[in-house]
Amino acid sequence: MPAYHVVWQGPVKRTSGLGIACKEYVKALRRQGVNTSVIEIQGRAGGLSNNRKVLIYHYPPNTINLRKERKQYDTIIINTVWETTRIPKRWINPINQSDAVFVPSRQNRQAMRDSGIRTPIFIVPHGVDAKMFVPMNKQLPSKKANRPFTFISVFGFQHRKNPEGLLKAYWEEFSSSDNVRLIIKTNGYAAYENDRWIRSRIQFYKAKLGIRKSTAPIQIIARHINTKSLRSIYAQGHAFVLPTRGEGIGLPFLESMASGVPVITTGWGGHMDFLSSHNSFLVQYKLRPPVIGMNRRTSISRQFRHLFSEKGQLWAEPDIGSLKRQMRKAYENPRLCITKGRQARLDALKLSWNRSGSLLKQAIEKTIAAVPTRK
């Protein structure tokens, strides 16, 4: 294998899941001994060696300037993630004109194939820092000792994450007489989507549902927080719940598993590469066009219609009854949550970023071997 130099072009400074994955992939590659540089925006990378130059583009595929990048790089790889059964049509040509595409899950690989992607597809999974996210000694819930069963949920406030389903299930299944609480860590995507706006949207939705009974408490944290604060949220949880409509991978699921907290979620998506009935509570679903849910008057969060409204795209609509049953099962069986949480931790230990780095290096070198050097 000839020597090569990787240039990773992606949002390394973002605090989102995309930014976290970007940083971790780069660090994992460097630990594998791969010479890796980082640039955040399109432009000429400086300080490159005379070795074979490999670009890994970690932005939406339709934004790459392939003609320009071909003048500088010998190999071009697109690294991306997706959440429905088909990728956006505007992604297809750029991906097919690249030398390979890296995705984090089997669901993503299938979506690429079903969308007409002909370029080689490699699964390069995300990992989790199991030294940062660790199980804490957690006491069993006790109404007498004022220790409620705690559901936690971590997500961006968007339609794909299905905050409506989570709230509806929780409000309808539990009341103030239950020894339970829900902690939601969320955030918006624009300056106006702040704590006040998110709380107002949630109150609007509750009124729209006509829920007037005394409901179980919800604590809302609607802002960006640091990793240490996030870890403390996982430490409080007896179960993590997120009835997502679609995930390319689901970093919060991995963080919850590493924290020894079992997951309650939809049984479809990229997260099914590592979630099972042994470490999770899986919710039944049906595949539906995203626009069906978006067109409901009770939709309360950002929809990203420009991504998820194309003909042929499907994602999961979780069954609310199944979600309520799984939440009730977790609530009534805290020892089962502990058992599933222990298995989740054991499974998470196998999903390190070092593993990701090793698979990433292998995929890069297979791509290089299949692509002739351009003069």
Side-chain angles (χ1 to χ4, degrees):
M1 174 59 59
Y4 58 94
H5 187 131
V6 169
V7 174
W8 197 286
Q9 188 168 317
V12 292
K13 294 182 180 178
R14 288 189 195 172
T15 58
S16 63
L18 179 64
I20 292 169
C22 192
K23 289 190 289 286
E24 294 296 339
Y25 274 135
V26 169
K27 290 191 291 185
L29 259 189
R30 288 172 174 167
R31 287 194 297 270
Q32 291 292 319
V34 176
N35 193 358
T36 308
S37 302
V38 177
I39 54 176
E40 280 206 88
I41 58 175
Q42 290 190 5
R44 181 164 291 276
L48 296 184
S49 65
N50 292 325
N51 296 328
R52 184 169 183 137
K53 300 173 182 63
V54 179
L55 173 66
I56 298 185
Y57 191 78
H58 200 172
Y59 282 112
N62 61 296
T63 63
I64 191 171
N65 186 335
L66 277 162
R67 182 177 297 180
K68 178 181 177 182
E69 304 298 3
R70 286 290 184 200
K71 296 177 181 178
Q72 184 175 190
Y73 298 101
D74 302 293
T75 304
I76 295 179
I77 298 165
I78 290 176
N79 188 83
T80 193
V81 61
W82 191 243
E83 295 93 4
T84 72
T85 56
R86 292 182 184 270
I87 64 173
K89 291 182 174 64
R90 59 188 176 277
W91 285 20
I92 297 173
N93 283 339
I95 293 176
N96 277 334
Q97 292 170 25
S98 67
D99 298 311
V101 58
F102 294 174
V103 296
S105 64
R106 289 177 294 178
Q107 184 273 331
N108 272 204
R109 180 176 62 189
Q110 191 62 51
M112 292 280 170
R113 287 176 174 166
D114 291 345
S115 300
I117 294 304
R118 300 183 304 274
T119 199
I121 305 167
F122 293 90
I123 295 179
V124 180
H126 290 184
V128 64
D129 185 349
K131 292 182 180 179
M132 172 59 70
F133 297 98
V134 297
M136 302 291 184
N137 291 327
K138 197 178 287 105
Q139 293 180 303
L140 289 172
S142 168
K143 194 166 189 176
K144 185 176 181 180
N146 195 27
R147 288 196 303 269
F149 184 99
T150 301
F151 291 106
I152 57 171
S153 193
V154 178
F155 59 91
F157 200 68
Q158 60 166 299
H159 186 74
R160 177 171 61 83
K161 301 293 185 175
N162 197 13
E164 303 92 347
L166 170 61
L167 292 165
K168 178 179 172 66
Y170 182 74
W171 283 329
E172 291 183 350
E173 185 62 26
F174 301 101
S175 71
S176 57
S177 63
D178 290 301
N179 184 38
V180 66
R181 63 173 175 165
L182 169 63
I183 301 175
I184 294 176
K185 159 59 188 80
T186 189
N187 58 267
Y189 296 88
Y192 72 87
E193 294 176 346
N194 53 24
D195 182 282
R196 182 178 179 181
W197 183 83
I198 289 172
R199 291 174 186 274
S200 70
R201 298 301 294 164
I202 290 173
Q203 288 303 313
F204 161 82
Y205 180 53
K206 191 173 187 180
K208 204 75 176 174
L209 292 177
I211 295 176
R212 304 186 186 281
K213 69 174 185 177
S214 179
T215 54
I218 298 178
Q219 178 184 349
I220 299 169
I221 304 168
R223 64 185 186 279
H224 289 286
I225 60 176
N226 59 33
T227 304
K228 185 177 180 181
S229 298
L230 181 60
R231 183 174 62 176
S232 71
I233 292 175
Y234 287 114
Q236 297 176 67
H238 294 96
F240 181 102
V241 56
L242 182 63
T244 179
R245 293 180 164 104
E247 299 291 331
I249 191 73
L251 278 176
F253 296 146
L254 289 167
E255 293 166 351
S256 181
M257 289 173 65
S259 303
V261 180
V263 170
I264 304 171
T265 193
T266 319
W268 181 86
H271 51 280
M272 292 308 295
D273 282 5
F274 49 83
L275 294 184
S276 71
S277 59
H278 299 293
N279 60 26
S280 308
F281 299 85
L282 299 177
V283 175
Q284 296 172 354
Y285 66 92
K286 291 182 179 179
L287 292 178
R288 292 285 185 265
V291 292
I292 291 178
M294 292 178 184
N295 289 338
R296 294 193 188 105
R297 293 180 63 189
T298 50
S299 175
I300 60 174
S301 53
R302 184 179 283 255
Q303 296 180 344
F304 293 104
R305 280 181 180 257
H306 66 290
L307 295 174
F308 303 122
S309 60
E310 290 186 4
K311 185 177 180 180
Q313 289 182 328
L314 301 173
W315 64 18
E317 279 296 335
D319 180 82
I320 292 294
S322 176
L323 173 59
K324 290 195 287 189
R325 288 191 295 273
Q326 294 290 43
M327 292 178 74
R328 174 62 66 174
K329 182 178 180 180
Y331 170 71
E332 292 183 349
N333 297 275
R335 293 188 185 278
L336 176 61
C337 290
I338 291 173
T339 299
K340 285 180 179 284
R342 286 173 178 162
Q343 184 61 53
R345 171 68 181 178
L346 292 174
D347 294 340
L349 290 174
K350 303 172 186 175
L351 306 174
S352 69
W353 280 108
N354 283 337
R355 166 179 172 263
S356 303
S358 177
L359 293 171
L360 180 56
K361 182 181 179 183
Q362 293 175 38
I364 292 169
E365 293 181 354
K366 286 179 181 179
T367 303
I368 291 174
V371 178
T373 303
R374 296 178 175 86
K375 300 296 185 183

